[in-house]
């Protein structure tokens, strides 16, 4: 039996994770579930999975959950605040941690899990984009495993040989696929009229709001290029993006002899989640298999830089000074929030990101504290750009 903590259990990845766990109760027990403030759903999850701990970052929400659990006669203990997230991620009773919080808020608990040598399943790409080299060094020192849950990175990981030390030598390039999101064919001249409702309506995947907006701007792919750089150790010029609107080929590895190895499947996050949970074994995921007889076509196209200007910020940040990827992430979190709350237009998300990345910031990247301070500074810079635009 492996004991698991699911950070962000009430989100899209979190609920998919519990769906897979529910299929394999002979292999896993849940140690802790965490959420920001969704009391109803976390309560239901506690009833179903009976974790030892439930953590809510919101104090009032935690109190409400505690009262409801007590009234229902459940023994799950409740904690609140950001430090409780770290506690349940590094607790010695835990074997596996699913990092499914959205944004840089997930960095401290993910880093704690890595330092404690847990098997860390990472959906929370922002944590790695902010943590960068420190994150990867912490995984190494902790001695645990880091398994990507992002579908593209799971696909790449599945397409690479087991011998990690051979990757840089054997691989020519990594090709990340991207769906192109909801605005792949919309006239860019009308991008300023895009509403939050239109931006979060992804054609292929049902996901949280933030990643849905990121998919619409293709900043999601920019974050994923950065994520791929840190996970697989390839330089930025050997990372490519191709648009593949059907989301069947989840990403590819091209070797020096030009052979391409890819992973395919239906668009269902339970597949990479099941892979991460069972690695190196394979267990059922609940996903529907691909049916080649009904697959009409697989198409590929080059991303248009004029339509998706944010994509190239990935390479700009990777080639920039240390801390650039953390600054870009912070700017984007501020920009997406400003867009979702009606303060800036869709097309201004890129303005906030590009201006913040290009601003005169400085900071260290060698400790968690330094990175969090840089994150705060970058949010302030981005906030100033938002204030000017709105
Ligand atoms: P979501 O918004 O649906 O869920 C986020 C979860 O984190 C919720 O449980 C929420 O309560 C919690 N949370 C939010 N803010 C928090 C904070 N400040 N502190 C603590 N907890 C907080 O998001 P999602 O779509 O499940 O995405 C989660 C992560 O996985 C993101 O980093 C996203 O990029 C990545 N990801 C998601 C998908 C997908 O299909 N949804 C695919 C690949 C990668
Ligand atoms: Mg992805």
């Amino acid at each position: 039996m492996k004991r698991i903590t699911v950070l962000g259990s009430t989100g899209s990845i979190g609920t998919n994770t519990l769906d897979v766990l529910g299929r394999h109760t002979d292999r896993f027990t849940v140690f802790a579930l965490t959420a920001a403030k969704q009391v109803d759903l976390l309560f239901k999850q506690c009833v179903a999975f009976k974790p030892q701990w439930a953590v809510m970052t919101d104090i009032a929400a935690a109190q409400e959950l505690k009262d409801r659990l007590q009234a229902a006669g459940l023994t799950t203990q409740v904690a609140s605040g950001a430090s409780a997230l770290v506690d349940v991620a590094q607790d010695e009773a835990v074997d596996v941690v699913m990092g499914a919080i959205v944004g840089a808020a997930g960095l401290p608990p993910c880093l704690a899990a890595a330092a404690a040598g847990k098997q860390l399943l990472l959906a929370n790409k922002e944590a790695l984009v902010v943590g960068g080299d420190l994150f990867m060094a912490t995984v190494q020192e902790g001695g645990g495993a880091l398994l990507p849950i992002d579908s593209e990175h799971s696909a790449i990981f599945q397409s690479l040989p087991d011998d990690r030390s051979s990757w840089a030598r054997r691989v020519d390039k990594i090709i990340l696929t991207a769906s192109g999101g909801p605005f792949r064919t919309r006239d860019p001249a009308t991008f300023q009229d895009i509403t939050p409702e239109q931006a979060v309506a992804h054609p292929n995947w049902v996901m949280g709001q933030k990643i849905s907006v990121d998919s619409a701007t293709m900043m999601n792919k920019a974050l994923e290029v950065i994520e791929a750089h840190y996970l697989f150790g390839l330089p930025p010029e050997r990372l490519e993006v191709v648009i593949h609107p059907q989301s069947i080929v989840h990403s590819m590895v091209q070797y020096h002899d030009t052979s391409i190895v890819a992973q395919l499947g239906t668009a269902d996050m339970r597949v990479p989640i099941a892979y991460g949970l069972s690695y190196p074994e394979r267990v059922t995921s609940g996903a529907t298999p691909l049916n080649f007889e009904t697959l009409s076509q697989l198409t590929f196209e080059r991303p248009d830089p004029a339509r998706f200007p944010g994509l190239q910020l990935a390479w700009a940040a990777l080639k920039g000074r240390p801390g650039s990827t953390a600054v870009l992430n912070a700017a984007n979190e501020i920009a997406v929030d400003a867009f979702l709350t009606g303060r800036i237009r869709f097309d201004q998300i890129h303005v906030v990101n590009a201006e913040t990345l290009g601003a005169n910031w400085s900071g260290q990247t060698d400790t968690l504290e330094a990175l969090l301070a840089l994150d705060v500074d970058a949010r302030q810079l981005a906030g100033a750009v938002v204030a000017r635009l709105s």
Side-chain angles (χ1 to χ4, degrees), residues 18 186 208 232 260 305 353 382:
L18 291 182
R186 179 176 170 138
F232 307 118
I260 289 180
N353 291 345

Side-chain angles (χ1 to χ4, degrees), residues 125 149-153 177 205 207 211 220-221 224 227 269:
K125 65 194 84 186
I149 297 302
D150 221 339
S151 57
E152 296 77 2
H153 305 76
T177 52
W205 303 90
M207 309 182 286
I211 184 176
N220 181 51
K221 211 51 54 179
E224 291 184 357
E227 185 184 10
M269 288 307 294

Side-chain angles (χ1 to χ4, degrees), residues 79-117:
S80 67
S83 66
L85 293 177
V86 170
D87 293 341
V88 295
Q90 67 184 12
D91 194 289
E92 63 178 23
V94 174
D95 304 298
V96 184
V97 173
M98 164 60 82
I101 289 173
V102 58
L107 177 61
C110 284
L111 210 56

Side-chain angles (χ1 to χ4, degrees), residues 80-214:
S80 67
S83 66
L85 293 177
V86 170
D87 293 341
V88 295
Q90 67 184 12
D91 194 289
E92 63 178 23
V94 174
D95 304 298
V96 184
V97 173
M98 164 60 82
I101 289 173
V102 58
L107 177 61
C110 284
L111 210 56
K118 308 301 184 195
Q119 176 171 332
L120 175 58
L121 314 188
L122 190 71
N124 184 191
K125 65 194 84 186
E126 297 91 348
L128 186 53
V129 169
V130 176
D133 290 328
L134 175 71
F135 199 114
M136 296 310 293
T138 306
V139 171
Q140 187 94 31
E141 282 158 26
L146 176 59
L147 295 163
I149 297 302
D150 221 339
S151 57
E152 296 77 2
H153 305 76
S154 176
I156 293 160
F157 187 66
Q158 293 180 58
S159 304
L160 284 165
D162 288 342
D163 176 11
R164 206 168 255 275
S165 65
S166 73
W167 291 353
R169 190 177 75 242
R170 293 181 188 170
V171 175
D172 178 26
K173 61 184 177 184
I174 281 173
I175 305 166
L176 291 129
T177 52
S179 70
F183 308 131
R184 185 176 60 86
T185 57
R186 179 176 170 138
D187 178 3
T190 69
F191 274 20
Q192 55 185 34
D193 306 323
I194 289 169
T195 64
E197 292 68 34
Q198 292 169 332
V200 299
H202 196 278
N204 303 352
W205 303 90
V206 181
M207 309 182 286
Q209 280 202 324
K210 196 258 176 185
I211 184 176
S212 298
V213 175
D214 285 346

